[in-house]
Structure formats: C-alpha cells, structure tokens
Amino acid sequence: MGFQEDLTAYQERVEDGVERLLPSRAARPARLHGAMRYAMAAGGKRLRPVLLLAASEVSGSEHDPLPAAVAVECLHTYSLIHDDLPCVDDSDLRRGRPACHKAYDEPTALLAGDALLTRAFELLAGPYAHAPSLGMALTRELASAAGSERLIGGQMEDIANEGGTPDEATLGFIHRNKTAALIAAALTMGFRFSEPSAETLERMREAGTRLGMAFQIVDDVLDVTATAEQLGKPVGNDHANHKDTYVALHGLEGSRERATEHTARAIEALESLGGDTTFLVAFARHLEHRIH
Ligand code: GRG
C-alpha cells in the first residue's frame, strides 16, 4: 500500500475507535454525550492518534493501541473545545462545522471538554488494567504533556502574550508546549507499547517535538495563506487576536525554512531508530508539504 492508503487505513481505525469508545449518545445526560460526540466526530485530521498507532507498529506489541490513540484524540479535542470558547479564542468554526459552544451552548461545551479530558484517562486506566506498567507509562506520558508545565502552560503564556511583540524565546516556549508536547506524547506513547530503552524514548521525544514544532509553524503559515474552507476553521484569527506567530516574527519564507528544518531533524531522529519507520517519515513530509 502507498502512503495515502496507509494514512486512510489508520484514520479509519481511529474513526472506529472514536465510535466505540465514547459513551453512547443515548446515555444520560444525552445532551452532554451528544456534545462530546459532536466535537469528536470526523472532520479532524487525526494526526495524533495516527502517529500513536503507527509508532506502536514499528516494533509491534501484543496490546491494542487503539484505546490510547482515542485517549489522545479526546484530550486534543477537549483543548480545541475550550480554545474556541468566547472567553479564549472566540472562534465559531471548527473542523468545518460550528464550534461546540455554537452547536450547543457554552456551559455544555465547557462540560463536554471536561468530560473528554476525564475520558482520556479512563481510556488508559481501564483497557490497560491487565498491563499495569504499560498503563502507568501511558498515563504519565499523557498527563505530563497535558499539564500546567506543557499544554496548559503553553496556552497560558499564549494568552498572556496576546498583543505583545513576539520574541523567539516566548514563541518557542508557547509552541513547544501548546502544540509540540501532545504530538511528541502521541509518538512516544506509541513506542511505549514495545518497552523501549530510555535512549530510544529520548530520540522519539526529540522526533515528536521537532514534528510538533514544524506542525505549528505550518499552522501559522496556513492561517495566512489558506482559506477557511481548506482548513475548516476561520483564517486570519492569529493576526486578529494579536497572537505571537512565526509568521509575525520571521515572515512567510523564514517560517517555511524553519518548518523544513524541524521536519528534517524529526526524520533524522526517526530514521536513527532502526525499525520500519517508512510511514512515519512519509507522514512528517506530508505535514510539511501542506505549505509548499
Ligand atoms: C484556556 C479554558 C482554556 C482552555 C484551553 C489547553 C487548551 C485549552 C488549549 C491548548 C491550545 C491549543 C488549542 C492548541 C492548538 C494546537 C493546534 C495546532 C491545534 C490544531 O490541531 P489540528 O490541526 O486539528 O491537528 P484537527 O481538527 O485536525 O484535529
């Protein structure tokens, strides 16, 4: 199979997992579960769970990585729901549809985000109860990427710096934590399925962080160059919200160069592993090509 077929197959596995591993739409309170499923529904690229599934296959494992992949997508989706709220980015469109607080209402969206965050950890605690050391490693990885020093910390500094003059160190902190930490965690969690050495884990963290940085820079570039139809979310938002972005700091060309450099470093780290990383390497190239 070629790259595109492999990608589609991974994405279909994720869609199936999302369908099966969330509470039923009919479970009480149905409005809350409807909102969780609405926000999680197809429309996202499923980058993080695809990375996790692909990484778990490089060395193989007897355990099913799908609950962990869905857990990462739940956590990511909670962050998007909360990010779109009027008190944060105030964005009405997400994944090509009205944002969760527009399709439902603000309190329901807030709670749906909270419930998805909680569900993420339930999906690590329950399905891996028979493999406690794997479950614990996955939980630590996700909790650390999502906490106050990483995802939430990056978001905090992003908000705190709105309207200010961008500087490289601040921008690096925001992007490493707000975006790259969860992408790195997804990749590392996938490799956790094969009980890797500490050295392999560090290399994977490096690959994931580089990939995440490239992804965020590409996101900044697309916010300027793409249309809302192409992205499924409003464009020009970063500028309108006076956000610190790579484009504001380095211009379009400088940003493209940096995305290319991070992608090259990510590929180097992936290839240093030894196993069959063909799909992961192609995926890294695919993400970067969106801006060329
Ligand atoms: C401030 C209440 C409050 C909550 C914030 C922690 C948090 C919640 C938000 C994290 C910040 C955030 C939303 C980062 C976004 C990073 C990013 C590039 C998201 C887009 O990811 P894609 O393109 O989206 O993978 P799809 O829709 O394809 O899954």
Side-chain angles (χ1 to χ4, degrees):
M1 278 204 294
F3 167 73
Q4 197 54 54
E5 289 83 4
D6 286 342
L7 177 60
T8 304
Y10 281 125
Q11 285 167 330
E12 284 171 1
R13 274 172 71 190
V14 174
E15 299 310 331
D16 171 60
V18 167
E19 184 55 39
R20 288 193 293 108
L21 297 172
L22 288 180
S24 144
R25 219 173 258 281
R28 186 171 176 179
R31 184 171 174 80
L32 177 64
H33 295 123
M36 290 163 73
R37 283 185 169 268
Y38 173 84
M40 285 284 286
K45 295 178 287 299
R46 309 306 196 194
L47 157 73
R48 298 153 191 82
V50 167
L51 278 177
L52 191 153
L53 293 179
S56 77
E57 284 171 6
V58 171
S59 307
S61 166
E62 62 188 286
H63 303 294
D64 180 7
L66 195 56
V70 174
V72 171
E73 188 67 7
C74 285
L75 201 132
H76 166 60
T77 304
Y78 120 75
S79 81
L80 299 181
I81 296 175
H82 283 192
D83 194 50
D84 289 339
L85 287 170
C87 64
V88 191
D89 258 7
D90 195 11
S91 188
D92 290 354
L93 190 67
R94 174 66 68 180
R95 294 176 165 170
R97 302 194 299 173
C100 193
H101 66 276
K102 282 292 183 187
Y104 288 81
D105 54 70
E106 282 181 46
T108 305
L110 193 65
L111 291 172
D114 292 340
L116 285 171
L117 167 60
T118 311
R119 185 69 172 182
F121 290 99
E122 198 179 359
L123 284 172
L124 299 181
Y128 301 106
H130 63 289
S133 65
L134 173 63
M136 189 59 74
L138 295 171
T139 303
R140 279 181 63 180
E141 204 72 65
L142 189 60
S144 139
S148 62
E149 291 176 279
R150 310 306 303 276
L151 176 72
I152 295 175
Q155 176 76 354
M156 183 73 224
E157 293 241 350
D158 196 11
I159 292 171
N161 284 287
E162 258 175 44
T165 315
D167 78 72
E168 184 82 50
T170 304
L171 202 53
F173 179 90
I174 293 170
H175 287 182
R176 246 190 339 276
N177 294 302
K178 189 182 89 164
T179 306
L182 191 56
I183 292 176
L187 196 67
T188 314
M189 286 167 76
F191 281 101
R192 285 275 186 190
F193 279 81
S194 54
E195 298 179 29
S197 67
E199 193 200 334
T200 300
L201 272 180
E202 265 333 290
R203 281 194 205 169
M204 286 316 93
R205 223 180 288 288
E206 163 75 2
T209 305
R210 292 287 192 167
L211 205 59
M213 293 299 284
F215 182 76
Q216 180 61 62
I217 298 172
V218 168
D219 202 68
D220 284 359
V221 170
L222 291 175
D223 188 64
V224 177
T225 61
T227 64
E229 290 69 39
Q230 283 166 325
L231 296 189
K233 61 181 182 179
V235 292
N237 249 22
D238 294 340
H239 185 69
N241 291 337
H242 306 286
K243 289 260 178 164
D244 276 3
T245 70
Y246 268 83
V247 179
L249 195 58
H250 298 293
L252 277 175
E253 255 336 284
S255 301
R256 285 196 180 99
E257 278 164 23
R258 280 164 178 81
T260 303
E261 171 66 16
H262 281 301
T263 303
R265 294 284 87 78
I267 290 174
E268 214 171 84
L270 286 170
E271 286 179 335
S272 74
L273 262 185
D276 182 1
T277 52
T278 314
F279 175 82
L280 288 170
V281 167
F283 198 26
R285 293 208 173 99
H286 166 78
L287 291 173
E288 194 228 332
H289 282 159
R290 296 192 301 151
I291 51 168
H292 290 293

